[in-house]
Amino acid sequence: IQKSEEFWINKKYRLPDKIMYVFEKKSDVRLCDCKIFVVTHKKYNVKHDLMYQPICVGNQYQNKEYLNEHLGENIAYLNDRINECTALYWMWRNGKSEYIGLNHYRRYFYNNRIKHSENYLSIETVSEIFESDYDIILPEAIVLSRTLLDNIAAGVGEELRNQGLEIVQHLIKRMHPDYMDAFEYAMNGHLLYMCNMFVTHRRILNQYCEWLFSFLIDGAELLDVSSCDSQGKRTMGYFAETLWTVWLLKQKLRIFELPIV
């Protein structure tokens, strides 16, 4: 198999009974300035290259080759309560790239429907998507069998779910009353963009984070989880995972969905 002026072999996969080659047409798209931060709290074989930048969160694991959310402007003290949102805050306050994204140490976007570890999202694909006038890359939306509120209760129990709901409702109503309908619609619905994963332009990230952290930090501090186990402490983190879905209901963004591992 030979390369040509128009095509090149982008990936080679060894399957049990065959070898599969994936060809891509050469593109003249300008590669964008993009950093995808890979959030990790444990030793793991995370992606680390010019686009993928690991960042350590929490207090359990440090790596001198990676970024650390305790350095720079941060809310690292809330990591056990709002999970990867402390990394999101760090990215917002300290990141510099034109496009910015968040992945997890074991969760990545694929370039397309070929779900293989050699086919994780590339800078070429990111550039082509945004060159095509999309605003944000998100995981394929999933439709849960239960509502988002019931899903949170399944994770932390009804009592903590109800306490968290009361706090978040109060804060959104006070800070952003025009989002109350979207919040109630999303929380009583079944559609979810999972894991706080995304890639988008910094302008859009700024808009989302200004909205999100205007109340999420207060919510995490107001909910008393001092006597909870590690799962219960993450109650506000469960709510935080739903908030991309809430915010997007009020936006007019062109969304490009990709499968995730």
Side-chain angles (χ1 to χ4, degrees), residues 11 15 36 38 45 65 103 125 134 142 169-170 176 184 222 225 234 240 256:
K11 299 293 180 184
L15 304 177
I36 297 179
V38 185
N45 185 28
E65 296 182 4
N103 283 186
T125 300
Y134 284 94
I142 62 170
Q169 280 180 322
H170 170 74
H176 307 283
E184 291 176 1
L222 285 169
V225 293
R234 298 169 60 191
F256 195 97

Side-chain angles (χ1 to χ4, degrees), residues 137-254:
I137 299 169
L138 291 172
E140 291 178 321
I142 62 170
V143 179
L144 301 175
S145 60
R146 53 196 173 200
T147 68
L148 301 194
L149 282 176
D150 288 341
N151 193 56
I152 293 173
V156 301
E158 290 191 5
E159 183 177 354
L160 279 171
R161 188 275 312 272
N162 292 342
Q163 291 174 11
L165 176 61
E166 183 178 357
I167 290 171
V168 175
Q169 280 180 322
H170 170 74
L171 291 172
I172 292 180
K173 188 174 183 179
R174 188 183 75 188
M175 303 289 295
H176 307 283
D178 55 323
Y179 276 84
M180 280 304 300
D181 287 346
F183 178 74
E184 291 176 1
Y185 180 85
M187 299 306 294
N188 289 288
H190 299 257
L191 184 73
L192 178 65
Y193 286 108
M194 292 181 61
C195 303
N196 285 310
M197 290 175 60
F198 69 91
V199 186
T200 193
H201 193 279
R202 171 161 294 282
R203 169 182 54 81
I204 293 171
L205 178 72
N206 288 345
Q207 292 170 357
Y208 176 63
C209 287
E210 286 168 5
W211 176 82
L212 174 69
F213 291 110
S214 69
F215 62 89
L216 182 62
I217 294 172
D218 286 344
E221 293 177 342
L222 285 169
L223 182 62
D224 183 6
V225 293
S226 57
S227 61
C228 295
D229 60 15
S230 59
Q231 188 77 352
K233 288 180 179 179
R234 298 169 60 191
T235 298
M236 203 55 67
Y238 277 94
F239 278 96
E241 185 181 13
T242 71
L243 293 175
W244 266 118
T245 308
V246 173
W247 188 76
L248 288 165
L249 287 172
K250 294 278 289 180
Q251 313 306 312
K252 295 181 179 179
L253 301 181
R254 293 190 64 198

Side-chain angles (χ1 to χ4, degrees), residues 1 19 49 69 75 77 82 119 145 148 158 197 199 214 219:
I1 301 177
I19 295 177
D49 56 29
E69 71 163 349
I75 53 171
Y77 71 98
I82 58 174
N119 195 39
S145 60
L148 301 194
E158 290 191 5
M197 290 175 60
V199 186
S214 69

